[in-house]
Amino acid sequence: KEDRMRRAYGVSGKLFRSRLAQERPEDADELSRIEPAEVVVVHGQYDHMHRVLETSQVPFLHLRPSQLAGADWDRMQVLLINCPGHLPADALERIAPWVRQGGYLMTTDWALKHVIQPVFPGTIQHNGQQSADCVVRVQASAEGDDPLLEGFLEDGRDPLWWLETASYPIEVLDSERVRVLMRSGEVGQRLGSDPIVVTFDEGEGTVLHMMSHLYLQRGDVRDQRDAQPAMDYMAQELRLRADELRGVAGEAQDLNAAEVSSAMRKQRILSNQILSSRRKQRGR
């Protein structure tokens, strides 16, 4: 299944850059001007956000946790910390001041406990429960019209979200400050906390955390619409042109709609964050 998701991300990466160039050429130009030192990914054992960046053709630096403290924090604009988020103390100390000066931080899953709780206490925390390995449906919350979710939702289709075994549910401690972008009623019923994607501002910067991982290693099928062939989904629902379909036909041949749509959503949420950070930097 991991090979299938690798191909699904390959398909979504090609379509993402093609569509971006056609529909939002100014954003495509923005991404093309990124230098590696501006986007830093910290290696993690369980999540692999760098693979999503590779398929999107976004330049980045991939650092080990022990290298983060020595990074060029003045040039860094976006910091992505993969699960589990075990960082040395000297790196943790650099994060909050950097965010307050305009940095954009994204963390996944266990980094909630290892990064967010010690660095930004009183915002969100692990609620003490752990998920089983499952795929759940998620819904945009009342705050779900946030620009970070632009292009993330499709008409009539709730996104599927894969929860790895022992994913950490998110408990919001400061509801005035923390915005919940995505929720899952299924997760709320099973584990007592329904937030899936949350964000909050810190000084001039922004923090975003998500339950489970950005890089999916498998997809799931919940209904006939999810199970339809990826090529049919892309032709009928995404309305891709014939030349776009030919460009991804080899990789997408035996994939289903759920796999491709899940990869495209994760790719979109990451690119939206990077573009949001670039706009804020340019505005300053």
Side-chain angles (χ1 to χ4, degrees):
K1 290 192 174 182
E2 186 171 353
D3 174 68
R4 294 177 65 89
M5 289 310 301
R6 179 188 58 77
R7 289 189 288 116
Y9 275 101
V11 169
S12 70
K14 290 179 181 178
L15 295 179
F16 167 74
R17 292 308 292 245
S18 171
R19 280 298 169 99
L20 196 66
Q22 295 171 41
E23 299 170 2
R24 294 186 292 166
E26 68 283 356
D27 285 345
D29 181 63
E30 194 72 65
L31 288 182
S32 71
R33 290 189 279 116
I34 290 176
E35 297 182 4
E38 295 170 345
V39 179
V40 172
V41 183
V42 179
H43 177 77
Q45 185 177 354
Y46 304 118
D47 200 0
H48 310 284
M49 287 189 270
H50 66 282
R51 295 180 184 172
V52 184
L53 292 173
E54 287 170 346
T55 58
S56 305
Q57 300 176 41
V58 174
F60 64 94
L61 287 181
H62 195 188
L63 303 181
R64 297 188 300 275
S66 61
Q67 297 174 304
L68 180 58
D72 188 342
W73 292 82
D74 291 332
R75 295 188 64 197
M76 190 192 309
Q77 296 179 9
V78 177
L79 175 59
L80 309 173
I81 301 178
N82 282 302
C83 175
H86 291 302
L87 300 178
D90 57 351
L92 285 175
E93 292 170 358
R94 301 294 302 267
I95 293 174
W98 171 79
V99 172
R100 293 186 192 111
Q101 293 173 8
Y104 200 112
L105 172 68
M106 176 180 173
T107 57
T108 62
D109 215 8
W110 290 4
L112 170 62
K113 188 172 183 178
H114 301 137
V115 177
I116 301 299
Q117 288 181 207
V119 175
F120 305 103
T123 55
I124 57 176
Q125 69 178 15
H126 174 211
N127 81 341
Q129 301 293 314
Q130 296 185 3
S131 74
D133 183 293
C134 60
V135 175
V136 299
R137 291 205 180 277
V138 297
Q139 302 82 36
S141 66
E143 302 93 332
D145 60 350
D146 192 284
L148 295 177
L149 295 182
E150 182 182 351
F152 187 79
L153 301 174
E154 296 177 33
D155 292 339
R157 184 195 292 269
D158 285 337
L160 295 176
W161 200 273
W162 177 49
L163 302 180
E164 279 235 49
T165 300
S167 288
Y168 285 177
I170 304 164
E171 179 183 356
V172 175
L173 300 177
D174 188 344
S175 59
E176 302 239 335
R177 183 178 173 196
V178 177
R179 291 175 290 138
V180 179
L181 301 183
M182 302 294 296
R183 299 180 184 272
S184 172
E186 295 177 51
V187 174
Q189 280 190 329
R190 298 175 193 175
L191 300 172
S193 294
D194 67 1
I196 298 294
V197 181
V198 301
T199 185
F200 59 89
D201 294 330
E202 175 77 13
E204 295 293 320
T206 302
V207 176
L208 184 140
H209 178 77
M210 66 172 57
M211 184 178 178
S212 198
H213 300 157
L214 187 80
Y215 182 78
L216 298 166
Q217 296 184 51
R218 70 176 177 88
D220 203 1
V221 169
R222 300 288 294 270
D223 55 34
Q224 282 189 319
R225 192 178 182 191
D226 297 331
Q228 69 177 310
M231 293 296 287
D232 292 349
Y233 160 72
M234 292 186 290
Q236 297 166 13
E237 297 197 35
L238 300 185
R239 294 183 173 86
L240 296 190
R241 302 188 313 269
D243 62 309
E244 292 177 307
L245 290 170
R246 284 195 298 271
V248 298
E251 290 173 294
Q253 187 173 14
D254 65 337
L255 299 179
N256 60 47
E259 290 165 328
V260 171
S261 65
S262 293
M264 291 183 71
R265 286 189 174 102
K266 293 299 184 77
Q267 200 142 37
R268 180 55 68 93
I269 200 172
L270 181 54
S271 64
N272 284 348
Q273 292 173 72
I274 293 172
L275 287 166
S276 175
S277 171
R278 298 283 290 183
R279 293 185 194 109
K280 286 178 71 173
Q281 293 284 350
R282 189 171 60 244
R284 284 196 294 273

